[in-house]
């Protein structure tokens, strides 16, 4: 397939590239641009971070799980393009030297790119911007000092990119559709196609499992699938909306969901990953579905010209099996706009950039000390994201009391039979899933219940 | 003077713009081939045969080699000759290399390596400590035992005794740059190897054997590693040997780098330990006797396990004067990756065992553990009035340089420990969900290789006729800043600015017979060797100018870029030019060996260490009693780097070491399944600390003092010791857990959220 983009300020036109060539391999092997490093080849370490600018702005992304077709019409800046064309170091580079922010130096290019991107965007929440960049040498403290020191430096002119014009160049084999209707009809006729959204999961099928994806279709060009629209009582989120975009909307509407999304992967992963991909792949440990279940969201699907809706909880049937027909695809999800009663809790070995052992999302409405409405969505507790219906029954219509909560906790053992794996034991999963209910009780009583609420 | 300046890392400017070159970044000649290992899917068994037809037929594959194809002895062990490059008749762990794919791309090689069909008769694997003890599966014929006094007898009469056990997991190095090597075939069957290794000489030695040539046929070059931490002391051997063999077989350059998952599945990690203890003490918390047993899983091959387990024993006292102690150490052979060197090299494990004992004593007596620690410290160095003899370690070395008492006092006061201890207790009495914990732990770490002959180093220094200086030594750069510190030594000896010094890659053709850059010894050994080399050249120049000006060589000085003699100041380049014209040799080697050490590792007696490095840390944490989730709120560290050669680089080692140590004891958990397959083999499942895991408040200071031992400018080694400051995070968690109930917390490591919650449960069991 043919792809064109701008790399470090210079136009690049590629013809006949494989749809599953990663940007990282292309940079390192074809271009000998070896500043961008491979640390894990799965999007978890950030050593391959690059800055990608499109009409929605500049973002840090992991080049190891980014396919070349996803970059068509965009501007890419690698670490080699962070210094000015005349070689003048970028302020974050200068401060990294001044503050001893590099030791072995292998993670440094990725940090520099993430930091320069955050600097460009005026983002000073460094722990969030850098959660996806691992460093084994420094303990991070000097890197944060460098990021803080560069905050007020002016943005070098070369960092401001105007992305090139999007051009559609696709062929039968590697489809990059641009209109929803055309794609829907095509996909109905070609249901064996591998659909690629953000590639944060599909990327690993290629880099780690060596899967042959066969016919592929990249969905990033269909405008109807992208973005968030609101009515008086609903928020509609297109399937191709990134987690970064969803995070922004949720900050004001359902802040607990926003806090959860903030721990979904890392900045680089959220910039690529889409809510549609997160739902459609049916993973039992995705962080979107438990919250959407608790929010009573509605899933929108389409097959050919037929569209339908289903409560999101019903989409997940069993492990590996979803309520999705051959040739049918997820177009979006609708979230009701009501008074906020959501509590989301993510439990993982590491706070940032980790996959949930348990993700518990609890919607609980209390009127006159009676629980009037409850919906419990859990991830990591079963083969699918799932409601805890026994626990819900033990809460619904009951008095709002610790006693009721504890009864519901007991009932939850009927809802789930979790697995033991490298993330957590079955017993721990059950105990903490139950304790998440108790946390709601203490939290609503105004107690300090999170380690992130305390300081030395 | 360039000494003691906080100069940045020598390659900092290259790191930040991506131009610092690692092995995989070296431009390779056209036609370079790429390698990957096929690995055993079974933990123990007889390798009957492998069907490699599909591997050979895979796209891009040039050749596939098995053990039968290896012409010479291709052992890759650093010690016992028990690691064939490719498995021969048996397999001993899941991930053991069994065949080698040579292909035209990295991906093609990896892809093909998955396609083999194995015919293996499964044996009975040994995974656990109990299984190994039952089967008497061990290295050496029995446990090593070191002792002092009569622990067993004194335990009988102690006022208080406690028993306990602590398990501590291993640790994946997670150097950001995976293992890598590149071999270029040279004329006459020789080979040039670029290797990401802490030990170029060993790479040279193993490659020479594997190609059936003397060491002079192999040149190994290492400019830098993207992190080492001990993981590149021996674990790079297999890649370098494979590349050299393949390069000579194909006549083409061959490169091999492990994909992250392969790296974690194939290579060794920190040794996990279980430490069982009985301790007798009086009502004031003064320790009378300790009987301690170390059990460590060494994995399938010996590698460096014996000196690692020795060093654990040598740190079983940590900073405490123990009149009676018996240490028994079992080195168990198991069917997992062969555990290897990792920053601290057993020291952290031995120390954690000791700190657990002190924590247990304190909780038993209801005392503040910090007080119990201080009560049991070694006496301060130099404070042995009259005929009082210095206190000795369990292995008979006098402790004459202790500063741990005064260092701890200073830290306790600068960190406002007492008030914060009280505030944490107050908080815990009024908060039911979030509990706080605070702990101080000390570090006393012995410096020197315990294998005495390794304590030597060489250097090669050239002064060119334009006054520029080429510097080379046997140490390797893995991020620790060794090259810069050593360059500072050279610059100061010649009195020239830093930019006069060219730091060059470690190269076995320049400095031979080097030791691994390990045991924190890099600067101590290589700094001294470089000083010796520089001083030889300096003395020759001085003698020349003394003669010229009718004075003595001691009247010639080197400072601020000048050679000064009588009333005359020559710029250093002028002086170099004049010396050259006078036919003065401007090139010299330097050699250094650590004095005063001797050690009998079988008896456990002697002076294995030239000196000790000290430090202490205070960590405060918050713990969520609903899930066990926890966070470091504040850390204060005071660490002894002697008279620091470069305080910025030393503080970098301390901050980074602390976070790495805290990671070992908290979120970094290695999980194997029932079949011995490592389930945590990528950053998605193995969780090293991320950015937000560092302490919110992180105060790190250097102890103001000099090394009483004659080290390079009175500095102290700083690579490994700070890792053990992370132990304070573990005991802060233990402290928070202890506040949840009356029973001894019994926290095990790593203290994942799950383990913390389980410990809270145990502490509430009356």
């Amino acid at each position: 397939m043919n792809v064109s983009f701008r790399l470090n300020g210079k136009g690049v036109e590629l013809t006949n590239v494989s749809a599953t060539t990663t940007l990282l391999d292309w940079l390192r092997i074809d271009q000998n641009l070896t500043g961008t490093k491979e640390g894990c080849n799965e999007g978890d370490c950030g050593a391959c971070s690059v800055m990608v600018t499109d009409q929605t702005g500049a973002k840090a992304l992991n080049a190891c799980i980014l396919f070349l077709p996803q970059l068509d019409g965009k501007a890419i800046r690698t670490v080699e393009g962070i210094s000015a064309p005349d070689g003048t170091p970028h302020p974050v580079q200068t401060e990294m030297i001044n503050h001893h922010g590099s030791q072995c130096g292998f993670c440094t290019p990725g940090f520099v790119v993430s930091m320069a991107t955050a600097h460009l965007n005026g983002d000073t929440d460094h722990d969030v911007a850098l959660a996806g960049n691992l460093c084994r040498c420094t303990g991070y403290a000097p890197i944060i000092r460098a990021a803080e020191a560069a905050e007020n430096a002016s943005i070098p002119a070369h960092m401001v990119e105007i992305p090139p014009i999007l051009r559609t160049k696709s062929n039968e084999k590697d489809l990059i559709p641009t209109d929803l209707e055309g794609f829907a009809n095509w996909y109905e006729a070609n249901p064996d196609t591998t659909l690629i959204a953000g590639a944060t999961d599909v990327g690993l099928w290629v880099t780690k499992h060596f899967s042959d994806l066969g016919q592929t279709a990249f969905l990033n060009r269909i405008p109807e699938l992208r973005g968030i629209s609101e009515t008086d009582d609903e928020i509609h989120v297109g399937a191709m909306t990134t987690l970064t975009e969803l995070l922004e909307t949720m900050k004001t509407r359902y802040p607990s969901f926003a806090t959860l999304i903030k721990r979904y992967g890392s900045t680089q992963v959220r910039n690529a990953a889409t809510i549609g991909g997160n739902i459609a792949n049916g993973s039992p440990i995705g962080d979107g579905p438990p919250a959407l279940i608790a929010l009573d969201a509605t899933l929108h699907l389409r097959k050919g010209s037929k569209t339908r809706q289903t409560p999101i909880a019903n989409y997940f049937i069993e492990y590996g099996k979803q309520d999705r027909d051959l040739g049918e695809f997820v177009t979006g999800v609708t979230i009701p706009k009501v008074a906020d009663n959501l509590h989301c809790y993510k439990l993982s070995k590491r706070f940032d950039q980790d996959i949930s052992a348990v993700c518990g999302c609890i919607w609980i409405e209390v009127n006159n000390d009676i629980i009037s409405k409850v919906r419990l969505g859990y991830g990591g507790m079963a083969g699918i994201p799932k409601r805890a219906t026994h626990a819900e029954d033990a809460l619904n219509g009951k008095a709002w009391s610790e006693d009721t909560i504890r009864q519901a906790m007991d009932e939850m053992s009927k809802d789930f039979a979790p697995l033991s794996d490298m993330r957590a034991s079955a017993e721990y999963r059950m105990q903490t899933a139950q304790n998440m209910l108790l946390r709601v009780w203490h939290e609503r009583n105004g107690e300090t219940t999170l380690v992130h609420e305390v300081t030395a | 003077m360039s000494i003691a300046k906080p100069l940045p890392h020598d390659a900092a400017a290259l790191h930040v713009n991506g131009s610092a070159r690692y092995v995989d970044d070296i431009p390779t000649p056209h036609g370079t081939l790429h390698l990957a290992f096929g690995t055993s899917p079974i933990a123990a068994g007889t390798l009957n045969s492998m069907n490699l037809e599909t591997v050979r037929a895979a796209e891009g594959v040039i050749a596939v080699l098995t053990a039968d194809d290896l012409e010479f002895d291709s052992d890759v062990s650093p010690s016992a000759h028990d690691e064939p490059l490719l498995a021969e008749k048996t397999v001993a762990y899941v991930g053991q290399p069994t065949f080698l794919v040579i292909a035209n791309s990295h991906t093609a090689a990896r892809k093909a390596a998955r396609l083999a069909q194995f015919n293996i008769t499964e044996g009975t694997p040994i995974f656990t400590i109990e299984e190994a003890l039952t089967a008497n599966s061990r290295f050496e014929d029995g446990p090593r035992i070191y002792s002092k006094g009569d622990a067993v007898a004194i335990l009988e009469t102690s006022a208080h005794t406690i028993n306990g056990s602590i398990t501590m997991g291993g640790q994946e190095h997670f150097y950001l740059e995976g293992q890598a090597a590149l071999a270029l075939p040279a004329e006459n069957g020789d080979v040039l190897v670029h290797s990401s290794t802490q030990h170029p000489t060993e790479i040279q030695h193993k490659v020479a054997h594997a190609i059936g040539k003397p060491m002079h046929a192999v040149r190994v070059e290492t400019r830098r590693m993207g992190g080492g931490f001990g993981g590149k002391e021996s674990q790079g051997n297999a890649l370098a040997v494979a590349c050299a063999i393949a390069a000579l077989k194909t006549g083409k350059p061959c490169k091999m780098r492990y994909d992250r998952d392969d790296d974690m599945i194939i290579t060794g990690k920190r040794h996990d330990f279980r430490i069982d203890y009985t301790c007798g003490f009086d009502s004031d918390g003064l320790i009378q006797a300790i009987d301690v047993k170390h059990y460590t899983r060494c994995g399938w091959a010996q590698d460096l396990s014996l000196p690692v387990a020795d060093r654990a024993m040598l740190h079983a006292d940590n900073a405490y004067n123990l009149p009676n102690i018996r240490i028994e150490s079992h080195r168990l052979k198991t069917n997992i990756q062969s555990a290897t060197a990792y920053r601290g090299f057993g020291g952290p494990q031995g120390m954690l065992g000791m700190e657990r004992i002190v924590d247990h004593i304190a909780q038993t007596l209801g005392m503040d553990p910090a007080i119990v620690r201080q009560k049991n410290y070694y006496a301060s160095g130099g404070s042995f009035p009259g005929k009082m003899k210095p206190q000795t370690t369990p292995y008979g070395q006098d402790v004459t340089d202790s500063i741990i008492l005064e260092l701890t006092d200073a830290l306790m006061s600068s960190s406002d420990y007492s008030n914060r201890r009280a505030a944490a207790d107050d908080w815990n009495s009024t908060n039911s969900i979030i509990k706080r914990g605070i702990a101080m732990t000390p570090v006393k770490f012995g410096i020197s290789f315990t294998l005495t002959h390794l304590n030597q180093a060489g250097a090669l220094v050239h002064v060119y006729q334009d006054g520029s200086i080429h510097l080379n030594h046997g140490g390797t750069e893995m991020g620790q800043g060794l090259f810069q510190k050593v360059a500072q030594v050279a610059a100061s000896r010649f009195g020239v600015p830093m930019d006069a010094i060219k730091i060059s890659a470690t190269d076995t053709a320049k400095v031979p017979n080097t030791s691994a850059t390990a045991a924190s010894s890099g600067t101590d050994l290589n700094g001294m060797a470089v000083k010796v080399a520089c001083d030889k050249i300096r003395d020759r120049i001085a003698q020349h100018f003394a003669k010229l000006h009718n004075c003595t060589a001691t009247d010639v000085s080197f400072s601020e870029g000048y050679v000064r003699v009588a009333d005359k100041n020559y710029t250093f380049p002028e002086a170099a030019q004049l010396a050259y014209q006078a036919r003065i040799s401007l090139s010299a080697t330097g050699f250094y060996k650590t004095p005063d050490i001797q050690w009998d590792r079988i008896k456990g007696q002697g002076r294995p260490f030239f000196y000790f490095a000290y430090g202490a840390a205070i960590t405060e944490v918050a713990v969520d009693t609903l899930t066990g989730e926890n966070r470091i709120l504040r850390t204060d560290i005071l660490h002894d780097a002697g008279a620091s050669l470069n305080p910025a680089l030393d503080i970098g080692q301390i901050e980074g070491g602390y976070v790495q140590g805290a990671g070992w004891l908290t979120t970094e958990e290695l999980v194997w399944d029932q079949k011995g397959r490592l389930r945590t083999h990528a950053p998605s499942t193995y969780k090293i600390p991320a950015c937000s895991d560092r302490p919110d408040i992180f105060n790190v200071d250097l102890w103001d003092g000099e090394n009483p031992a004659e080290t390079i400018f009175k500095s102290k080694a700083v690579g490994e010791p700070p890792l053990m400051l992370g132990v304070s995070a573990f005991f802060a968690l233990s402290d928070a857990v202890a506040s949840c109930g009356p029973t001894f917390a019994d926290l095990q490591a790593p203290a994942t959220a799950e383990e913390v919650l389980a410990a809270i449960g145990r502490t509430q069991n009356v």
Side-chain angles (χ1 to χ4, degrees), chain A residues 25 28-29 32 34-42 44-45 47 79-80 82-83 92-94 96-98 100 102-109 111-112 126-127 130-131 133-142 144-145 148 207-210 263 346-355 421-428 431-432 435-436 438-439 442 447-456, chain B residues 6-9 12-13 15-18 20 22 24-25 27 106-107 110-111 114 171-177 224-227 229 257 259-261 342 427 431-434 436 477-479 620 622-631 633-634 648-649 652-653 655-657 659-660 667-669 671 679-680 682-694 696-698 752-754 757:
Chain A
D25 277 352
R28 290 187 57 83
I29 299 169
N32 203 27
T34 53
T36 308
K37 306 299 183 195
E38 179 185 314
C40 69
N41 213 14
E42 63 168 19
D44 263 307
C45 79
V79 67
E80 290 90 349
I82 298 294
S83 306
V92 303
Q93 293 175 314
T94 305
M96 279 288 274
I97 297 171
N98 291 344
H100 310 279
S102 72
Q103 286 184 23
C104 85
F106 199 84
C107 71
T108 311
F111 270 96
V112 162
H126 305 299
D127 278 1
L130 299 177
N133 290 85
L134 295 179
C135 169
R136 192 54 150 168
C137 296
T138 65
Y140 304 98
I144 295 300
R145 286 178 209 125
E148 286 169 352
T207 64
K208 295 293 178 181
H209 309 307
F210 306 120
R263 292 177 59 193
K346 176 179 169 118
L347 177 60
S348 50
K349 246 182 227 175
R350 185 173 70 198
F351 185 78
D352 276 318
Q353 163 95 327
D354 197 0
I355 292 164
D421 66 9
M422 76 297 251
R423 296 199 172 86
S425 69
E427 298 72 33
Y428 179 66
Q431 187 185 358
T432 52
N435 280 353
M436 286 173 184
L438 195 56
R439 189 186 306 284
H442 289 287
E447 290 177 56
T448 304
T449 63
L450 297 171
V451 289
H452 280 73
E453 294 169 342
V454 297
T455 54
Chain B
L7 301 176
H9 190 281
H15 292 154
V16 299
N17 67 19
Y22 303 80
D24 193 40
D25 303 336
H106 173 69
T107 303
R110 283 177 61 216
K111 228 169 169 169
R114 304 262 183 104
Q171 185 176 26
E172 163 62 35
H173 303 84
F174 212 88
Y175 26 66
L176 260 287
E177 178 212 24
R224 64 171 61 78
M225 283 160 272
F229 316 114
R257 66 177 172 90
D259 173 77
R260 179 62 59 184
D261 295 66
Y342 193 134
W427 169 280
N431 281 269
S432 66
I433 306 295
I434 304 298
R436 287 174 190 259
E477 177 62 46
M478 62 196 98
E620 183 175 356
V623 169
D624 177 346
T625 58
L626 293 175
T627 54
E629 288 164 289
N630 54 78
R631 214 158 70 86
L633 303 175
R634 173 173 168 177
L649 296 177
Q653 289 299 297
E655 289 172 336
V659 170
Q660 203 174 87
T667 58
E668 296 187 38
E669 186 179 29
V671 180
R679 304 313 298 168
T680 48
S684 52
T685 45
Y686 183 79
K687 310 313 283 189
I688 70 166
C691 192
S692 68
D693 295 316
R694 75 189 186 286
D696 278 353
I697 302 171
F698 201 2
T752 58
E754 177 163 358
L757 189 64

Side-chain angles (χ1 to χ4, degrees), chain B residues 362-618:
Chain B
Q363 291 199 37
T364 304
L365 296 175
M367 292 173 68
D368 181 343
I371 307 294
V372 179
R373 290 191 161 97
Q374 289 167 290
K375 266 183 199 281
N376 285 285
Y377 276 164
Y378 282 111
S380 293
S383 64
F384 310 108
K387 287 183 183 149
M388 189 179 157
K389 282 187 175 169
Q391 293 166 340
T392 60
T393 63
Y395 44 91
Q397 174 163 355
D398 290 345
V399 181
T400 57
D401 62 1
S402 178
I403 50 168
I404 194 61
L405 273 163
E406 46 270 46
L407 186 147
T408 300
D409 279 347
L411 179 66
M412 298 280 276
S413 117
S414 69
S415 67
D416 195 22
Y417 175 85
S418 305
N419 287 328
R420 289 170 56 215
R421 158 99 268 160
D425 293 343
D426 277 357
W427 169 280
N428 289 342
S429 63
T430 53
N431 281 269
S432 66
I433 306 295
I434 304 298
K435 298 290 184 183
R436 287 174 190 259
I438 186 167
M440 183 282 295
T441 58
V443 170
K444 165 183 139 287
F445 192 78
I447 302 300
S448 292
F449 286 98
T450 56
L451 189 54
T452 302
H453 81 252
L454 297 178
N455 295 290
Q456 59 171 309
L460 176 65
V461 175
H462 306 316
V463 175
Y464 294 103
Q465 54 187 296
D466 66 353
S468 66
I469 297 164
H470 178 102
L471 171 65
N472 197 272
H473 54 79
T476 56
E477 177 62 46
M478 62 196 98
Q480 80 278 44
L482 169 67
F483 282 14
Q484 185 73 323
K485 281 186 175 182
V486 174
Q488 287 176 260
V489 170
S492 81
R493 297 314 292 164
F494 288 117
V496 296
M498 288 296 289
D499 61 8
I501 311 281
K502 174 58 121 191
I503 296 167
S504 61
T506 317
D507 184 339
T508 57
K510 287 185 181 168
V511 175
N513 307 323
T514 58
S515 295
T517 306
S520 306
S521 68
T523 307
D524 281 8
L525 296 177
N526 295 290
M528 276 296 205
V530 162
K531 177 172 176 286
V532 169
C534 293
D535 287 356
K536 280 185 192 171
I537 300 171
R538 204 174 82 143
D539 289 350
R540 290 179 203 144
I541 296 173
Q543 273 160 20
H544 171 67
F545 283 96
K547 207 190 271 176
L548 226 55
H549 290 271
N550 287 321
C551 56
T552 63
T554 49
D555 296 329
V556 182
S557 68
F558 294 72
S559 65
E560 291 161 340
Y562 289 93
V563 177
R564 303 173 197 274
V565 54
D567 295 336
K568 184 90 173 130
N569 287 344
Y570 299 92
T571 66
F572 190 78
E574 281 168 4
Q577 181 66 35
L578 290 169
Y580 163 69
Q581 286 168 4
R583 298 192 292 172
I584 305 291
S585 166
L586 293 176
S587 174
T589 60
F591 182 79
Y592 173 76
K593 58 182 177 185
T594 311
D596 303 334
I597 47 176
Q598 48 80 26
W599 170 237
D600 182 336
R601 69 168 286 271
I602 303 300
K603 285 189 188 144
Q605 283 295 316
R607 180 183 176 182
F609 303 124
F610 190 35
Y611 64 90
F612 296 101
Y614 298 87
I618 293 173

Side-chain angles (χ1 to χ4, degrees), chain A residues 321-387:
Chain A
K321 190 174 172 196
Q322 297 91 41
D323 176 19
R324 185 168 70 86
D325 243 12
L326 266 184
E328 191 175 42
F329 62 98
V330 172
T331 57
V333 62
T334 306
I335 300 167
K337 268 164 90 167
V338 287
D340 183 13
N341 279 289
L342 182 68
H343 302 260
C344 297
Y345 304 118
K346 176 179 169 118
L347 177 60
S348 50
K349 246 182 227 175
R350 185 173 70 198
F351 185 78
D352 276 318
Q353 163 95 327
D354 197 0
I355 292 164
S356 295
V358 179
C359 178
C361 296
I362 295 158
W363 183 275
I364 193 158
E365 291 176 35
V366 179
N367 283 310
N368 301 319
D369 285 337
I370 299 294
I371 300 167
S372 55
K373 198 180 232 179
V374 63
R375 209 175 303 98
L376 310 177
Y378 275 84
M381 295 296 290
I384 52 171
K386 200 176 157 214
R387 281 176 77 162

Side-chain angles (χ1 to χ4, degrees), chain B residues 331-355:
Chain B
R331 298 89 194 267
L332 303 170
K333 186 174 181 177
T334 51
N335 291 108
I336 54 171
Q337 290 80 359
S338 180
T340 191
Y342 193 134
R343 199 176 195 175
F345 206 73
Q349 294 94 319
M351 225 177 256
L352 186 67
M354 183 63 222
E355 292 304 334

